[in-house]
Amino acid sequence: MKGTLATIAIPGAVGALAACADENPALAIAKATGSTPAGHASEHAPAAAAPAAAAPALSRREKADAMDAMHEKGVKAFPAKTEGKGNQLLKPRLVGGVKVYELTAREMQWEVEPGKKVLAWAFNDQVPGPQIRVREGDRIRVIVNNELPESTAVHFHGVEMPNDQDGVPFITQPPIKPGTSFTYEFTVPNAGSHMYHSHHNAATQTMLGMLGAFIVEPKVPTAAEKADVDYVMILNDGPHGYTLNGKSFPATEPVVVKKGQKLRLRYMNEGMMIHPMHLHGMHMTVIAKDGWDQPAPWKCDTLNIAPGERWDVIVNCNNPGTWAFHCHILTHAESQHGMFGMVTALVVK
Amino acid sequence: MKGTLATIAIPGAVGALAACADENPALAIAKATGSTPAGHASEHAPAAAAPAAAAPALSRREKADAMDAMHEKGVKAFPAKTEGKGNQLLKPRLVGGVKVYELTAREMQWEVEPGKKVLAWAFNDQVPGPQIRVREGDRIRVIVNNELPESTAVHFHGVEMPNDQDGVPFITQPPIKPGTSFTYEFTVPNAGSHMYHSHHNAATQTMLGMLGAFIVEPKVPTAAEKADVDYVMILNDGPHGYTLNGKSFPATEPVVVKKGQKLRLRYMNEGMMIHPMHLHGMHMTVIAKDGWDQPAPWKCDTLNIAPGERWDVIVNCNNPGTWAFHCHILTHAESQHGMFGMVTALVVK
Amino acid sequence: MKGTLATIAIPGAVGALAACADENPALAIAKATGSTPAGHASEHAPAAAAPAAAAPALSRREKADAMDAMHEKGVKAFPAKTEGKGNQLLKPRLVGGVKVYELTAREMQWEVEPGKKVLAWAFNDQVPGPQIRVREGDRIRVIVNNELPESTAVHFHGVEMPNDQDGVPFITQPPIKPGTSFTYEFTVPNAGSHMYHSHHNAATQTMLGMLGAFIVEPKVPTAAEKADVDYVMILNDGPHGYTLNGKSFPATEPVVVKKGQKLRLRYMNEGMMIHPMHLHGMHMTVIAKDGWDQPAPWKCDTLNIAPGERWDVIVNCNNPGTWAFHCHILTHAESQHGMFGMVTALVVK
């Protein structure tokens, strides 16, 4: 059967890899489904085009080798170094028993993957903004300094606030004008994996980066939620591309654990699309939705996370190896130029 | 830090608000994600453009003020008056122990938000059509009069019908031709939050408005589902824009309750897209899916509702205030011109 | 009321059905929502255009009759014969106690619906590839022969593999070059409804057909999951259109059962979009997610299935008749030319 391979006609086969995007089946597919982010193909194509264009008479095997080399290059680059790291734990100042956090929103350039810098509106020069971790019952104060060209406001998504601290301009407060500050202060009411983000011109502001994790630890954690490793993964799409914690593959961060450890993942979707996250090698046990315990934890390997949702899962890391871990909308994770976007790895040592 | 604000360069800042959509970062984002409904930006832009266009030398603060004024105007207009109200309870005639409902499908203009009239194909001149509420075991008759230019048929989505009453042309009945009527009659089999809608050329007909709530009360309600306020919220997208019960913000209807009341929300998605509905200030306890009790109710603040799904939730309204309540696909809820589309408020007095 | 029908103006009514797609409300809707697959309208339009174009003076009733005739033709053609059948059970060879399966990937033309042939990259000349059914604890060997113009690799999605059998090029193995073979061998670890598919250039390769069901029967089935009829339904979108087990309506396969039988459906989504599957006439009880038992089975009639997910449900087939069964994103299931795509029927005899 394989003996006939050299002689069969391959009418629809992938041609010279980057001769022309419009003649390329893979790109035609991306067009037909509309699910490749605008500009992605062209970003990658030039780099890939050179070798193929220089060799119009490549054999099928040589073309396959050229494609594989691109894929390998991406994987070998992982985890690639980029400037800036988001979602870093923010330490509070203690002022008279109140934990005081300061968030300064500012415009900047953010490196999403090596060499790809995008306009960001960021809290404390990070995308996602710094991670805030508090405990149920804490008294906290969050000072927001607005150094952006627009007004803003911060909503603590999932936190059952006193109404006047809810962060919705013209409903609960005036907007925070450029060059001014606003202070939120409240006693933290409900535990769970929550978020903070802009609630003013939010389709623009949050997509440019004005978001972060707001984790509330319970006064008494349940056995189910105690873990050796606690990892927040913020999913995003939009003008920065498909990102995990503000970075695209191969610049995403691997999750690294030791064999036998219990890993808690806190997924948060700050984008506009669903992202069904698929973990290879081990299943996930879903223990909480939007910070609330699930009454009956359940298992899966692919968890569909919609915009605004948070899901907490436990992984018993008993299967050693490096495991692919990605959004299963494949056009968010791989092109013919290799893996990109919402891809990382769980490394069980 | 803020002292430097006046002197920093702002290369990517929002320019004159509506000078040119293509130069505007917010619109560029909308384009990149493809999630702003076609025509929405242009609908809003003209009104917004005037002040900005007349003042090209606006300072950053003046531009922010102009944007905020647009946002405030939208919020202050809420709930805006429009012609027509959908989802109104339809009272039956009683004929020999049978509850008789009459639905007349007709073309009309429907006001989605102030000044925005769209072509609708509606039942009884309402979008959504009138709400039908019956009880398990009732004998009912639904007379459908077709005054549309096309044939139609009505499917009772979620109701476990005798096959010949299921409303699927050429499978269970002939289509109802223009100018004719058809009568459905059945004993109501299963309780729950169901829907009725066209099942003929349905991608056109239901998107133009041929849909409504079909609520079946159980013979014996459980304690979990008893509520002080029972509110049906039908989500839609398509040619009418992003709507809640047929209206777009600021013409949507607020849900108004008293502090301490128990609210039952019945979400129904009649659109083509998911809509993760996010309630501020209080969580929701999910008690039923598609009219069937959930064996273990669970809590959330953001509930992803897919086309054709119905979800019943309970909110214990213990947090006073006016709370934003919206789809968390932000491009369904806010543009740089302010909130629009799938936004309303829960008002706890 | 109906007496006035002949005299009312119908400004927005559907005009000559296919005179011009751009003037046609139904197509305008499809454009506005962006949810009709590219090219679908034009595929169907020519056939439909002829009669309408030839009769510009058709009355409203004649136009409705013409549309209805198209719809009827589609329904009456169901289940339409096409060349090729996917998802056929693959019998293993037994070699020294090991079940040996052979999958050969090859380019071919696949008939999705009568007369519509598309380029496919298929395993064993089937889309989906052949169904593999094994039992927990089996030792199996899967030989993959690559006769494609590209390299490939096979990932067993949901199976908790030894790392070196996980099928991810450059992470767990080298790619399988064109004209070469690779053998996976492992002891089947976890029961459930799983899948196999390409994990190399996967956004192209799986969308062209390189996927199949991998069902692992448990050593001891629970009472909940025992069924009279066990049916795998693989959902897909992309370049082949909207398909169920590789075929579009009217070429989809009906699910046929006897009254009183217990049906187990195993949904698997290999596409890029969600598909909320709606069954008429009877509800579904959800018993497993991604092959893992749900701790508390729950009922629904519309189940939202995201890319990469598998959901197992039970239907107690107690309502006789032919029942529509379709994706409830209506633009995946019906156009003005009739039902198409992700539509089939459950026939309870």
Side-chain angles (χ1 to χ4, degrees):
Chain A
M1 190 182 277
K2 277 174 284 178
T4 67
L5 260 180
T7 55
I8 56 168
I10 306 171
V14 172
L17 268 173
C20 173
D22 287 341
E23 295 171 5
N24 187 308
L27 295 177
I29 290 165
K31 280 186 178 179
T33 59
S35 43
T36 293
H40 187 83
S42 56
E43 283 162 26
H44 288 246
L58 286 179
S59 71
R60 186 184 65 169
R61 175 58 185 261
E62 286 166 328
K63 283 184 237 169
D65 288 347
M67 177 185 277
D68 295 350
M70 286 190 291
H71 283 240
E72 182 170 21
K73 193 179 164 192
V75 171
K76 295 303 185 213
F78 173 80
K81 279 187 189 170
T82 46
E83 195 184 333
K85 179 173 159 58
N87 191 33
Q88 295 186 64
L89 191 65
L90 184 61
K91 292 213 170 141
R93 284 181 291 134
L94 265 177
V95 180
V98 178
K99 289 181 178 171
V100 180
Y101 297 88
E102 192 155 356
L103 295 173
T104 300
R106 202 156 37 199
E107 191 161 282
M108 67 176 300
Q109 294 291 311
W110 181 252
E111 195 177 22
V112 171
E113 60 184 57
K116 182 185 170 187
K117 294 208 174 185
V118 296
L119 171 72
W121 288 6
F123 290 114
N124 299 10
D125 307 319
Q126 295 176 36
V127 181
Q131 184 182 128
I132 297 178
R133 271 198 186 245
V134 296
R135 188 173 294 272
E136 260 185 308
D138 280 355
R139 185 75 185 172
I140 74 161
R141 191 176 298 149
V142 182
I143 302 163
V144 176
N145 304 311
N146 179 10
E147 300 189 0
L148 295 169
E150 282 183 12
S151 299
T152 193
V154 174
H155 169 59
F156 295 83
H157 177 113
V159 184
E160 306 199 337
M161 283 290 192
N163 191 253
D164 61 359
Q165 302 301 301
D166 197 45
V168 184
F170 308 115
I171 296 182
T172 70
Q173 69 170 84
I176 312 173
K177 296 285 181 181
T180 71
S181 296
F182 188 92
T183 300
Y184 298 90
E185 182 165 335
F186 54 95
T187 301
V188 178
N190 54 312
S193 298
H194 305 306
M195 308 191 287
Y196 65 89
H197 52 224
S198 166
H199 211 288
H200 187 58
N201 193 22
T204 295
Q205 296 191 358
T206 65
M207 288 167 91
L208 287 174
M210 297 182 65
L211 58 97
F214 188 85
I215 308 294
V216 182
E217 288 169 0
K219 279 181 183 161
V220 184
T222 63
E225 63 186 324
K226 282 182 194 163
D228 301 304
V229 178
D230 185 316
Y231 193 87
V232 172
M233 186 181 287
I234 301 181
L235 318 173
N236 219 337
D237 44 62
H240 293 179
Y242 298 117
T243 60
L244 303 175
N245 289 339
K247 302 285 178 177
S248 293
F249 186 87
T252 46
E253 180 184 50
V255 184
V256 181
V257 298
K258 290 181 193 147
K259 190 181 172 213
Q261 282 191 319
K262 189 173 155 189
L263 167 67
R264 179 181 190 162
L265 289 166
R266 301 175 188 256
Y267 296 107
M268 308 184 168
N269 187 339
E270 280 283 15
M272 303 295 112
M273 303 170 180
I274 60 152
H275 298 293
M277 290 300 294
H278 174 52
L279 175 62
H280 288 219
M282 284 150 287
H283 58 274
M284 309 184 271
T285 301
V286 179
I287 60 166
K289 166 77 171 85
D290 297 348
W292 299 98
D293 292 345
Q294 286 272 289
W298 48 281
K299 296 173 185 172
C300 66
D301 55 58
T302 307
L303 186 62
N304 186 26
I305 302 152
E309 290 191 326
R310 292 91 62 210
W311 289 95
D312 286 28
V313 306
I314 295 288
V315 181
N316 289 310
C317 300
N318 52 17
N319 201 357
T322 295
W323 299 99
F325 186 11
H326 57 92
C327 176
H328 213 280
I329 297 179
L330 298 179
T331 45
H332 299 185
E334 196 174 35
S335 78
Q336 65 171 342
H337 304 286
M339 291 194 284
F340 75 96
M342 305 181 97
V343 175
T344 185
L346 171 59
V347 182
V348 180
K349 290 192 169 174
Chain B
M1 190 181 279
K2 276 174 286 176
T4 67
L5 260 180
T7 54
I8 55 168
I10 307 171
V14 171
L17 267 172
C20 175
D22 287 340
E23 295 170 7
N24 187 308
L27 295 178
I29 291 163
K31 280 187 179 180
T33 58
S35 43
T36 293
H40 187 82
S42 57
E43 283 162 26
H44 287 246
L58 285 180
S59 70
R60 187 184 63 170
R61 176 58 185 260
E62 287 167 328
K63 282 184 238 169
D65 288 347
M67 176 184 278
D68 295 350
M70 285 191 290
H71 283 240
E72 182 170 21
K73 191 179 164 192
V75 172
K76 296 303 184 211
F78 173 78
K81 278 187 187 168
T82 45
E83 195 184 332
K85 180 173 160 58
N87 190 33
Q88 295 186 63
L89 191 65
L90 183 62
K91 292 213 170 141
R93 284 181 291 133
L94 265 177
V95 179
V98 178
K99 290 180 178 172
V100 180
Y101 297 89
E102 192 155 357
L103 294 174
T104 300
R106 202 156 35 200
E107 190 161 282
M108 67 176 300
Q109 294 291 310
W110 181 252
E111 195 176 22
V112 170
E113 61 185 58
K116 181 185 170 187
K117 294 208 175 184
V118 296
L119 171 70
W121 287 7
F123 289 114
N124 300 9
D125 307 319
Q126 296 175 37
V127 181
Q131 182 182 128
I132 297 178
R133 269 196 187 247
V134 297
R135 188 173 294 272
E136 259 185 307
D138 280 354
R139 185 74 185 173
I140 74 162
R141 190 176 298 149
V142 181
I143 302 163
V144 176
N145 305 311
N146 180 10
E147 301 189 0
L148 296 169
E150 281 183 12
S151 299
T152 192
V154 174
H155 169 59
F156 295 83
H157 177 112
V159 183
E160 305 198 338
M161 283 292 192
N163 191 254
D164 62 359
Q165 303 300 300
D166 196 44
V168 185
F170 308 114
I171 296 182
T172 69
Q173 69 168 86
I176 312 173
K177 296 284 180 181
T180 72
S181 297
F182 188 91
T183 299
Y184 298 90
E185 183 165 336
F186 54 96
T187 300
V188 178
N190 54 313
S193 298
H194 305 307
M195 308 191 288
Y196 65 88
H197 53 223
S198 166
H199 211 288
H200 186 58
N201 194 21
T204 295
Q205 295 191 0
T206 65
M207 288 167 90
L208 287 174
M210 296 182 66
L211 58 98
F214 188 85
I215 309 293
V216 181
E217 289 169 359
K219 278 181 183 160
V220 183
T222 63
E225 64 185 324
K226 282 182 194 163
D228 301 305
V229 177
D230 185 315
Y231 193 87
V232 172
M233 187 180 286
I234 301 181
L235 318 173
N236 218 336
D237 44 60
H240 293 179
Y242 298 117
T243 59
L244 303 176
N245 289 339
K247 302 286 178 176
S248 293
F249 186 87
T252 45
E253 181 185 50
V255 183
V256 182
V257 300
K258 290 180 190 147
K259 191 183 170 211
Q261 280 190 322
K262 188 173 155 189
L263 167 67
R264 179 181 190 162
L265 289 166
R266 301 175 189 256
Y267 295 107
M268 307 183 170
N269 187 340
E270 280 282 17
M272 302 297 111
M273 304 171 180
I274 61 149
H275 297 292
M277 290 299 296
H278 174 51
L279 175 62
H280 288 219
M282 285 151 288
H283 59 274
M284 308 182 272
T285 301
V286 179
I287 59 165
K289 167 77 170 85
D290 298 346
W292 299 98
D293 292 345
Q294 285 272 289
W298 49 280
K299 296 173 185 174
C300 66
D301 55 59
T302 307
L303 185 63
N304 187 25
I305 302 151
E309 289 190 327
R310 293 91 62 209
W311 289 95
D312 287 28
V313 305
I314 294 290
V315 181
N316 289 310
C317 300
N318 53 16
N319 201 356
T322 295
W323 300 99
F325 187 10
H326 57 93
C327 176
H328 213 281
I329 298 180
L330 298 179
T331 44
H332 299 184
E334 196 173 35
S335 78
Q336 64 171 341
H337 304 286
M339 291 192 287
F340 76 94
M342 304 180 98
V343 176
T344 185
L346 171 59
V347 182
V348 181
K349 292 195 166 168
Chain C
M1 191 181 279
K2 280 174 286 175
T4 66
L5 259 180
T7 55
I8 55 168
I10 306 170
V14 172
L17 268 173
C20 173
D22 288 340
E23 295 171 6
N24 187 307
L27 296 178
I29 290 164
K31 281 186 179 181
T33 58
S35 43
T36 294
H40 187 83
S42 58
E43 284 163 26
H44 287 246
L58 285 181
S59 70
R60 186 184 62 171
R61 175 59 184 261
E62 286 167 328
K63 283 183 237 168
D65 288 347
M67 177 185 279
D68 296 350
M70 285 190 292
H71 283 240
E72 183 171 20
K73 192 179 165 191
V75 172
K76 295 304 184 211
F78 173 78
K81 279 187 189 171
T82 46
E83 194 183 333
K85 180 173 159 59
N87 191 33
Q88 294 186 64
L89 191 65
L90 184 62
K91 293 212 171 144
R93 285 181 292 133
L94 265 176
V95 180
V98 178
K99 290 181 178 171
V100 180
Y101 298 89
E102 190 155 358
L103 295 174
T104 301
R106 202 158 34 201
E107 191 162 281
M108 66 176 300
Q109 295 291 309
W110 181 253
E111 194 176 22
V112 171
E113 59 185 58
K116 182 184 171 188
K117 294 209 174 183
V118 296
L119 172 70
W121 288 6
F123 289 113
N124 299 9
D125 307 318
Q126 296 176 36
V127 181
Q131 185 182 129
I132 296 178
R133 271 199 185 242
V134 296
R135 187 174 296 270
E136 259 185 306
D138 280 354
R139 185 74 184 173
I140 73 162
R141 190 176 299 151
V142 181
I143 302 163
V144 176
N145 305 310
N146 180 10
E147 301 189 0
L148 296 170
E150 283 183 11
S151 299
T152 192
V154 174
H155 169 59
F156 295 83
H157 177 112
V159 183
E160 306 198 338
M161 283 290 191
N163 191 253
D164 62 359
Q165 302 301 300
D166 197 43
V168 184
F170 308 114
I171 296 183
T172 70
Q173 69 170 87
I176 311 172
K177 297 284 181 182
T180 72
S181 297
F182 188 92
T183 298
Y184 298 91
E185 181 163 336
F186 53 96
T187 300
V188 178
N190 55 312
S193 298
H194 305 307
M195 308 190 288
Y196 65 89
H197 52 223
S198 166
H199 210 289
H200 187 59
N201 193 21
T204 295
Q205 295 190 0
T206 65
M207 288 166 90
L208 287 175
M210 295 180 66
L211 58 97
F214 188 85
I215 309 293
V216 181
E217 289 169 0
K219 278 183 183 160
V220 183
T222 64
E225 63 186 324
K226 282 183 195 162
D228 301 304
V229 177
D230 185 316
Y231 193 88
V232 172
M233 187 181 287
I234 301 180
L235 317 173
N236 219 336
D237 44 62
H240 293 179
Y242 298 117
T243 59
L244 303 176
N245 289 339
K247 302 286 178 175
S248 293
F249 185 87
T252 46
E253 180 185 50
V255 184
V256 181
V257 298
K258 289 181 191 148
K259 190 181 172 213
Q261 281 189 321
K262 189 174 156 190
L263 167 66
R264 179 181 190 164
L265 289 166
R266 302 175 187 255
Y267 296 107
M268 308 184 168
N269 187 339
E270 281 282 16
M272 303 296 112
M273 304 171 181
I274 61 151
H275 298 292
M277 290 299 295
H278 175 51
L279 175 63
H280 289 218
M282 284 151 287
H283 59 275
M284 308 183 271
T285 301
V286 179
I287 59 165
K289 166 79 171 84
D290 298 347
W292 299 97
D293 291 346
Q294 285 272 288
W298 48 280
K299 295 174 185 173
C300 66
D301 56 59
T302 307
L303 186 63
N304 186 25
I305 302 151
E309 290 190 326
R310 292 90 63 210
W311 288 95
D312 285 28
V313 306
I314 295 289
V315 181
N316 289 309
C317 300
N318 52 16
N319 201 357
T322 295
W323 300 99
F325 187 11
H326 57 92
C327 176
H328 213 279
I329 297 181
L330 297 180
T331 45
H332 299 184
E334 196 173 34
S335 77
Q336 63 171 343
H337 303 287
M339 290 194 283
F340 75 96
M342 304 181 97
V343 176
T344 185
L346 171 60
V347 182
V348 181
K349 289 193 169 171

